Amino acid sequence: QVQLVESGGGSVQAGGSLRLSCVASDSVYCMAWFRQAPGKEREAVARINIGSGSTYYADSVKGRFTISQDNAKNTVYLQMNSLKPEDTALYYCAADRRPSNIGWSIRSMYNYWGQGTQVAVSS
């Protein structure tokens, strides 16, 4: 079982920046960020494959968010710039050990989930 612990959420004004962190208790193949706004479905934001460093992004965050890793610390970061009110959500870290890139944005592709960290962006 892999434990994931997120941190770094908070409240910012539109146009501001936040950096989320997710620490994994063991090695995994990939780590991703999802988010869920009130009354909406959980959606994929970004993913990184730990070995290759390959990254994937949702269209809504391309050019504004960057996912990166620190292998030595089993940690993944999500740098969020130019934040918008519509980015407000509970952000979850997800991970999996299976080496598959198919359907990176599908929730069922990830076996391990963190508890979430809240991001609030005011206009």
Side-chain angles (χ1 to χ4, degrees), residues 42-59:
R42 192 173 299 187
E43 63 176 0
V45 175
R47 161 177 159 153
I48 187 165
N49 290 349
I50 301 303
S52 67
S54 297
T55 57
Y56 306 82
Y57 293 95
D59 288 343

Side-chain angles (χ1 to χ4, degrees), residues 11-57:
S11 298
V12 295
Q13 290 190 328
S17 298
L18 283 173
R19 189 178 80 156
L20 306 183
S21 301
C22 177
V23 181
S25 61
D26 204 350
S27 298
V28 293
Y29 175 78
C30 61
M31 294 178 74
W33 289 95
F34 282 70
R35 67 186 181 186
Q36 188 166 16
K40 294 189 176 181
E41 294 290 319
R42 192 173 299 187
E43 63 176 0
V45 175
R47 161 177 159 153
I48 187 165
N49 290 349
I50 301 303
S52 67
S54 297
T55 57
Y56 306 82
Y57 293 95

Side-chain angles (χ1 to χ4, degrees), residues 108-123:
S108 60
M109 294 300 293
Y110 302 90
N111 273 325
Y112 309 109
W113 291 84
Q115 295 299 307
T117 184
Q118 183 68 45
V119 171
V121 185
S122 59
S123 56

